[in-house]
């Protein structure tokens, strides 16, 4: 890892991966096929792309039982406790409908309603991501979404990873579709004979999934197109280099495009972190990936002091920030742009990725300047409520009509004036 | 207007206007020019496209004074009262940062921070839309956005409409850029020597503005690409046909693509509405536009009963719904998908468009199924906060590590375990 003296504005922003034209053409073709042929096309693509010939499109009761048998008990207990923690945190995000009244009879308000149906995409292949299921499904459940349909690509024998099936089962997800890629996104967006059409699709995926989500966006809502994961560790000379290094590596092992950065005014710490990273890389299973990520996107930025370190964080607006300093809470209010802020030496990012209760779906690529973690609010929508009394209308008709006319909308003005006239006829 | 018996699902959805390839090429060229040449390009395009040679890019103090002199006092008072109403409503939407603590020392929370800078686009040309300014600027101000930059195309003499300047001045907007179209959007997204770069751009515009917003989306946030405006009036046989007709026309006069629909179980009302529409069209200034809109997109749907009428509204998920029935509040909870719901015969849509206090920036084209009116929340973002104590880490380390390992992320597990080990060293 390189140690760099900060002397100008720095940025994490990279051009989003858009895939090439060939990928786009394939995605468009898949979406069109699913819209036309529904389940038949979904099965055909699952056979062609995942190598699985399915009996049932949905995970069966037998498969659920086998998944529980196959999974380690510690993992099952950990999933259960994580669910409790994540549900507890997200329940505090619930929005209520509200109303306000005035003496003239006016009532104004905001009605909150959950989405009717949501699709949750869970990546498959050789890896299993049960934490994705928890983070995407729980806020939707807390929001009281009517129907949650999960979808994930099966292995060649037509099965999902036991951890995926158990996580979904622990949450009570009833419909798990064994399909992945653009074909799964298209099925969720437009519906098939057996997959219900949804209003919003959430969850990460490869470039086919990302392009398909982009293509159906507008017809349905989507969460975001996530970029590579990022961590920025702010540390002072009280920070332990072995903790800092471990956290950089936990980010860097995700993928070769992941970003892991330290910002510190302490040159001794910087030197020790470089050493520690090398030492800890030695026996890391995914060392090759982590090393490449650190070479390409890793850095240790040396600042003049802690205030400049915080400035750098705000410039970067990273997905994750760890504050490993003597008084971490002192800096909380100064951090304006970050997806998640981990305070103090025991708050490893891993704690939030899996367990603490906050959501791990976070803005990347500098979008924390204007975006938020996934919340319950992403699964509800609001309607404005307006009730005007005859008195309120009569009192304000002249002003309202004058605003309509200055914009050149005579019919708008008349819609108010006809009521003022109508009201006087009532008397 | 045609009267249609409802017998199947109906939809408002239309393909979004994307503009043709020529428009896209022009927009791309404009954005590139602004990024390259900044203010110089902004002035050049304003001369070329708006026919205005500007001395100052920003509205001056003298121009503000002249705008107040030129504007009718009734309109100024109406703007002032509308501002009070809109601010009062939006202040009720404010979100607070919050924290929750556990006995083991865990602290989790959600920090709310306003966006640093927001751009508000206000359409110009011959018409003036001061209400747009109120609806876009007030929620940003209530959110405590650091910097609000407004932009609107000038007329050929280099001036903005007095109502636009007065509305902005009443709100205390200090920076009003005299530029429009794709060049204004590019200036806001990327900044020029004199226009600050913003984090989010809100406000409606023509197809050049819409394409430019779509192009800069991701680099900055945008509100939405709004479709044509829509109203659905649910009415029973107690509704006054002249009110219903007036409200349909207030929607239809917007543009030829506007949608105005009545849903009613009452055939006599339907017949009377058709007559009233024709009568009121006779002396309407924008009759040609309204007539075309009603011919192409207007309809009166006859239903078997009120419940079916509400079903139709939920299928349509319209921007505006008016409930002109004997007991309007009875139906509020049944309406699940709508941008704004106007209850009772005195609650003309015009009241909400300009004055009552709710926002008139609303989801169109069926997106009320998953989208909301513009709110204060659109100008803030959240950061998750995680603080784990040594006790919390030690208690949960085993479970957290097991979840990381089931996903194949060994470095994630080690980042927790190294701390457990580190903690025992402290003792």
């Amino acid at each position: 890892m390189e140690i760099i003296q900060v002397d100008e504005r720095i940025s994490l922003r990279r051009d989003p991966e858009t895939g090439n034209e060939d990928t786009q053409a394939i995605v468009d073709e898949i979406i069109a096929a699913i819209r036309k042929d529904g389940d038949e096309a979904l099965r055909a693509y699952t056979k062609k792309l995942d190598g699985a010939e399915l009996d049932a499109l949905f995970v069966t009761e037998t498969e659920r039982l086998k998944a529980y048998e196959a999974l380690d008990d510690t993992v099952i207990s950990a999933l259960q406790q994580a669910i409790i923690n994540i549900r507890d945190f997200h329940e505090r995000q619930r929005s209520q409908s509200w109303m306000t009244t005035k003496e003239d009879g006016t009532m104004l308000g905001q009605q909150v309603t959950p989405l009717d149906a949501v699709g949750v995409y869970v990546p498959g292949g050789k890896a299993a991501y049960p934490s994705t299921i928890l983070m995407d499904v729980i806020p939707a459940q807390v929001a009281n979404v009517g129907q949650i349909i999960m979808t994930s690509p099966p292995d060649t024998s037509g099965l999902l990873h036991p951890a995926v099936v158990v996580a979904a089962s622990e949450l009570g997800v009833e419909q798990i579709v064994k399909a992945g890629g653009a074909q799964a996104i298209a099925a969720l967006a437009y519906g098939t004979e057996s997959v219900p059409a949804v209003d919003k699709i959430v969850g990460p995926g490869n470039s086919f999934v990302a392009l398909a989500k982009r293509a159906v966006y507008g017809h349905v809502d989507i969460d975001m197109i996530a970029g590579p994961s990022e961590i920025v560790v702010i540390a002072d000379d009280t920070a332990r280099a072995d903790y800092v290094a471990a956290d950089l590596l936990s980010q860097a092992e995700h993928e070769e495009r992941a970003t892991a950065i330290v910002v510190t005014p302490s040159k001794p710490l910087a030197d020790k972190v470089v050493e520690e990273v090398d030492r800890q890389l030695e026996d890391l299973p995914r060392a090759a990936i982590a090393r490449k990520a650190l070479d390409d996107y890793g850095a240790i930025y040396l600042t003049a002091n802690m205030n400049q370190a915080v400035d750098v964080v705000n410039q970067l607006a990273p997905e994750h920030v760890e504050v490993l300093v003597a008084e971490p809470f002192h800096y909380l209010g100064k951090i304006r742009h970050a997806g998640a802020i981990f305070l103090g030496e025991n708050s490893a990012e891993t704690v939030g990725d899996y367990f603490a209760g906050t959501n791990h779906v976070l803005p990347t690529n500098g979008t924390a300047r204007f975006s938020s973690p996934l919340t319950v609010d992403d699964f509800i929508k609001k309607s404005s409520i307006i009730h005007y009394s005859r008195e309120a209308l009569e009192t304000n008709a002249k002003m309202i009509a004058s605003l309509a006319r200055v914009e050149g909308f005579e019919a708008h003005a008349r819609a108010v004036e006809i009521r003022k006239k109508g009201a006087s006829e009532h008397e």
Side-chain angles (χ1 to χ4, degrees), chain A:
Chain A
M1 288 189 82
E2 209 185 341
I3 300 179
I4 304 162
Q5 189 78 42
V6 172
D7 52 5
E8 55 183 17
R9 282 187 71 88
I10 51 181
S11 169
L12 281 181
R13 292 212 175 176
R14 307 184 219 158
D15 288 335
E17 261 188 306
T18 48
N20 56 34
E21 281 177 28
D22 288 352
T23 320
Q24 184 65 61
I26 296 168
V27 166
D28 291 345
E29 188 190 310
I30 293 173
I31 294 175
I34 299 289
R35 290 185 72 170
K36 185 168 165 285
D37 296 326
D39 283 346
E40 196 190 317
L42 194 56
R43 284 171 180 279
Y45 279 112
T46 304
K47 186 174 171 192
K48 184 177 167 190
L49 302 174
D50 300 305
E53 208 150 351
L54 299 178
D55 291 328
L57 265 179
F58 291 81
V59 168
T60 63
E61 200 49 44
T62 316
E63 284 168 30
R64 289 184 199 252
L65 293 174
K66 285 194 180 153
Y68 274 93
E69 283 167 22
L71 200 63
D72 190 279
D73 280 348
T74 314
V75 176
I76 297 178
S77 317
L79 283 172
Q80 287 167 341
Q81 187 58 48
I83 289 169
I84 291 171
N85 294 350
I86 297 166
R87 188 164 282 148
D88 178 74
F89 183 81
H90 287 80
E91 272 170 359
R92 294 162 201 270
Q93 293 176 333
R94 266 212 195 102
S95 297
Q96 298 295 326
S97 300
W98 54 264
M99 275 280 197
T100 169
T101 55
K102 295 187 191 173
E103 278 190 39
D104 68 5
T106 303
M107 291 183 67
L108 301 175
Q110 197 171 277
Q111 179 162 273
V112 173
T113 37
L115 302 193
D116 281 358
V118 164
V120 175
Y121 187 89
V122 181
K126 285 185 185 165
Y129 301 107
S131 64
T132 299
I133 303 170
L134 272 47
M135 297 297 179
D136 284 330
V137 169
I138 293 172
Q141 289 181 328
V142 173
N144 280 323
V145 166
Q147 220 179 358
I148 297 173
I149 296 106
M150 198 180 110
T151 175
S152 190
D155 63 19
T156 51
S157 59
L159 295 174
L160 302 185
H161 191 286
V164 165
V165 176
V166 168
S169 300
E170 286 293 322
L171 293 169
V173 175
E174 287 172 11
Q175 302 181 77
I176 312 175
V177 184
K178 295 192 281 187
Q183 57 275 22
I185 300 298
L188 290 170
Y190 296 101
T192 68
E193 299 88 326
S194 59
V195 181
V198 301
D199 298 303
K200 182 166 188 162
I201 300 173
V202 298
N206 62 19
S207 60
F208 288 89
V209 171
L211 284 175
K213 280 171 71 179
R214 211 184 285 273
V216 301
Y217 176 52
H219 182 75
V220 299
D221 197 13
I222 63 171
D223 49 351
M224 60 175 81
I225 309 286
S229 199
E230 306 150 352
I231 193 170
V232 175
V233 181
I234 320 183
D236 63 16
D237 51 16
T238 70
R240 285 183 55 149
D242 54 346
Y243 291 9
V244 175
D247 296 350
L248 295 177
L249 289 174
S250 77
Q251 197 57 236
E253 76 171 342
H254 270 291
E255 56 163 318
E256 293 180 353
R257 285 168 50 93
T259 297
I261 286 173
V262 181
V263 189
T264 181
S266 166
K267 180 71 166 57
L269 179 79
D271 292 333
K272 271 186 279 178
V273 168
V274 173
E275 275 170 42
E276 267 293 331
V277 165
D278 286 337
R279 205 182 59 73
Q280 293 184 24
L281 266 170
E282 279 165 25
D283 65 341
L284 196 66
R286 296 165 69 93
I289 293 170
R291 193 171 278 124
K292 177 90 169 92
L294 290 175
D295 284 349
D296 291 353
Y297 300 108
I300 302 180
Y301 288 105
L302 273 183
T303 57
N305 48 46
M306 275 302 296
N307 279 342
Q308 195 193 7
V310 173
D311 277 352
V312 169
V313 168
N314 284 328
Q315 286 167 35
L316 295 172
E319 187 188 12
H320 307 95
V321 178
E322 283 185 3
V323 189
L324 301 189
V325 302
E327 291 187 87
F329 281 88
H330 177 67
Y331 294 96
L332 178 56
K334 297 183 198 288
I335 298 173
R336 292 203 319 282
H337 309 302
I341 305 168
F342 295 78
L343 296 165
E345 68 170 10
N346 293 296
S347 314
E349 191 206 304
T350 308
V351 162
D353 287 344
Y354 292 105
F355 194 77
T358 53
N359 208 293
H360 78 194
V361 181
L362 298 166
T364 53
N365 204 22
T367 60
R369 290 187 65 85
F370 50 76
S371 300
S372 302
L374 192 71
T375 67
V376 173
D377 282 343
D378 293 303
F379 298 98
I380 58 115
K381 71 276 188 331
K382 302 157 198 157
S383 301
S384 297
I385 315 215
I386 300 100
H387 169 71
Y388 248 41
S389 64
R390 196 190 300 176
E391 183 189 339
L393 187 94
E394 286 189 333
T395 314
N396 299 300
K398 194 179 161 194
M399 285 195 280
I400 301 171
S402 81
L403 291 174
R405 287 201 172 98
V406 85
E407 296 195 353
F409 290 131
E410 178 65 21
H412 282 65
R414 291 187 187 174
V416 170
E417 288 169 347
I418 197 173
R419 284 169 161 89
K420 193 169 176 189
K421 197 162 148 272
S424 66
E425 287 166 13
H426 277 288
E427 275 150 25

